[in-house]
Amino acid sequence: WHLHNAEYLLQNHSLPLYDAYSFTVAGHPWMNHEWLADLPYYFAWKLLGLRGIDALAVSLTSLIYLGVLYLSWRESGNFKAAVLATAYAIFLGRVSFGPRTILFGYAYLVILLILLQRFRQKQHAPLWLIPLLFCLWVNTHGSWSLGMIIFTVIFVGGLVPLRWGLIESELWSASQRMSLLWTWLASVAMLFVNPYGARLVLYPLDMAYRQKT
């Protein structure tokens, strides 16, 4: 299905607007909300067949968990603890192993967390990458909404001091607040840089609450 979507895009130089696959709802308005994630799998398949698809999936999964290892090490300062946390993350994430478009979403999430962690720890980071990341993310997979929620929670978490057991928030400085606010606003704006416009941005809500069998 994903390979055929990519092939359609490359052959017709356009994205489908109607369902061309289903028998029961043929011609129903439809959009390929994961069009950008289809292309790497298609090129891998054209290059090496099924082995290419597997190679891409394994490479993405490996990069994701290397990112988790790096995040854990930077946060804890203990490499053994980071290895243990990553092993547990692998256990939790095994349900998503395989050639799935959501692997790109996980990779984007790890990059987002690395950038925000660096900004928190070193007071500076290339925040300009985050809006570009969300532009790629919204065209790749609907999990961008989870990334935006996490970004918002991290930003808001530094606006109010909190001490609750092991949960503790550290206030952003005034310059950090402004930098993160502009980055957040730019990220929201970049969500609309896609071939479907607002429809693609609203798609996660549409899928969750409006689409019927």
Side-chain angles (χ1 to χ4, degrees), residues 87-100:
Y88 186 58
I90 293 173
F91 171 76
L92 292 175
R94 72 190 192 284
V95 295
S96 293
F97 287 176
R100 302 181 60 191

Side-chain angles (χ1 to χ4, degrees), residues 26-150:
H28 187 79
W30 176 80
M31 60 181 176
N32 182 13
H33 64 286
E34 299 174 345
W35 67 272
L36 192 58
D38 295 341
L39 294 172
Y41 284 112
Y42 178 78
F43 292 134
W45 175 68
K46 291 291 286 186
L47 184 64
L48 295 171
L50 293 178
R51 288 181 297 177
I53 294 176
D54 287 338
L56 177 59
V58 170
S59 298
L60 283 171
T61 305
S62 300
L63 289 173
I64 289 166
Y65 286 111
L66 284 173
V68 172
L69 179 65
Y70 174 79
L71 272 169
S72 303
W73 171 65
R74 291 292 305 176
E75 194 65 33
S76 67
N78 187 304
F79 188 73
K80 292 181 180 179
V83 170
L84 183 62
T86 304
Y88 186 58
I90 293 173
F91 171 76
L92 292 175
R94 72 190 192 284
V95 295
S96 293
F97 287 176
R100 302 181 60 191
T101 54
I102 196 174
L103 291 181
F104 289 100
Y106 290 142
Y108 295 152
L109 177 59
V110 170
I111 294 171
L112 173 66
L113 292 174
I114 288 175
L115 290 172
L116 292 175
Q117 182 190 62
R118 180 182 176 88
F119 187 69
R120 166 68 79 186
Q121 293 179 344
K122 297 189 175 183
Q123 311 299 316
H124 64 86
L127 295 181
W128 58 270
L129 288 173
I130 294 179
L132 298 178
L133 183 71
F134 275 102
C135 183
L136 288 174
W137 203 340
V138 72
N139 287 283
T140 303
H141 194 267
S143 57
W144 67 265
S145 54
L146 175 63
M148 185 57 71
I149 291 172
I150 291 175

